[in-house]
Amino acid sequence: MKLSHVQRLKGVMKVPGDKSISHRSVMFGAIAEGKTKVTGFLPGDDCLSTIDCFRKLGVNIHQEDDYVEIDGNGIEGLKEPQEVLDVGNSGTTIRLMLGALANTPFHSCIIGDKSIAKRPMKRVTVPLTEMGVAIDGRAEGNFTPLSIRGGNTKGIQYTSPVASGQVKSAILLAGLGAEGVTSVSEPHKSRDHTERMLQAFGVNVQVDGLTVSIEGKQKLKGTNIEVPGDISSAAFFLAAGAIVPESELTIQKVGMNPTRTGIIDVLQLMGADLSIENAQNEAIEPFADLHIKKSSLKGIEIGGELIPRLIDEIPIIALMATQAEGTTVIKDAAELKVKETNRIDTVVNELKKLGANIEATEDGMIIHGKTRLVASSVDSHGDHRIGMMLGIASCIATGEMTINNSDAVRVSYPGFFDQLNELSR
Ligand code: SPQ
């Protein structure tokens, strides 16, 4: 992909459906009883991997663009797969699906791509094993290929060392079919789409501070889900609106779940000209329209409980920080090392190629602004969020940028480069 800098970005736009919510809508619909209808679904590669896996588990799923219908037959309706379940690039698919398979008394084998093969699974396989599930894989169940045979699970009280929506969700999914109560406590609050959606499927979920509990042997009832726009996708255009000269963008119907809006806090702290309009709070997930204009930004410190609320936005925040006056420090973000790539290294190395003044630390990065970026040959390294961050960087860098492996963006935002191009016209 070759891209040149743009004069401005202007327009009213929508981003595709939320990836986390789209995955969950298919999985919960698949283990529910009755029909589930999903609108606003994200037809990106990751969520299509989830559909593919649950079809191989015998679930009838009809998908056309952003509309999905799932005929669930309860957890007992899942069938032993005849083929290997391939999750592609999707960490959410493999970790949540392990939780769903915890109560299936048959054998499943799970693989993914090269990136998945390096991502740690023990964070999920250890608590699931404690619940009574038989799981094996490379390095004592830490890496794919994994094999799982569900069993008669019993509830556990689990304290997770990391704030992770995937760990919490996998254990809660396993807990749904377990004997007794299952609870998960975490150091900071991670995204709570699972808790919200389980309630919409009729499950009784208790939330007490940083602990979530469910009683086992509960049934899910099929329902209708409306997926809002993905704030993690909107983040690229919010950042673009703030740093590209003369820009003004409105992004409609963006998900505003408080466990995901760390990017809004950061934009406000950096001094961005951002307004939130038409906020709606009645649905399972809140949403609003976001309006952003070119802004003068200042460096800030980001860490602590804010990190899980913006973990996937750190690559684009780092780019914004190169355009802010002063220093931005990002800390407490060691989780970045186990994403699609080691996002501390890939962000620092790729932005350095453009002339950014950025250094890696043990648990984050330090960026000194403001620097003029100069186009270069860069690489997504197969990481969608790095590919999109570099796409936005090309809008402000002088010269022509070559982004290698740019099609990684299909995982969460298939039309990203076309939309960027349209807004620059
Ligand atoms: O699905 P995957 O590959 O793990 O996707 C990422 C992303 O950048 O899209 C992370 F690499 O998002 C995760 C997110 O970081 C999606 C997610 C979820 O849907 O529950 C939770 C977060 O991960 P974690 O490890 O903190 O639970």
Side-chain angles (χ1 to χ4, degrees), residues 356-378:
N357 186 347
I358 180 167
E359 64 198 87
T361 62
E362 244 328 287
D363 64 350
M365 56 195 86
I366 300 173
I367 307 116
H368 303 282
K370 150 182 192 178
T371 41
R372 200 169 71 91
L373 301 184
V374 180
S376 176
S377 174
V378 289

Side-chain angles (χ1 to χ4, degrees), residues 19-20 23-24 46 89-93 95-96 116 119 123 163-167 169 191 193 311-312 335 338-340 343 383-385 412:
K19 179 160 77 70
S20 295
H23 279 302
R24 286 159 172 80
D46 269 12
N89 190 245
S90 178
T92 309
T93 308
R95 296 202 178 108
L96 270 63
I116 280 292
R119 296 180 69 183
R123 52 183 54 203
S164 159
Q166 294 176 356
V167 171
S169 303
R191 61 192 66 193
H193 305 301
I311 188 73
D312 298 338
E335 274 292 294
V338 291
K339 298 297 180 183
E340 283 81 330
R343 285 183 179 160
D383 186 332
H384 54 132
R385 304 219 183 269
S412 64

Side-chain angles (χ1 to χ4, degrees), residues 40-54:
F41 178 80
L42 165 66
D45 286 354
D46 269 12
C47 300
L48 296 179
S49 293
T50 292
I51 290 185
D52 180 59
C53 289
F54 280 86

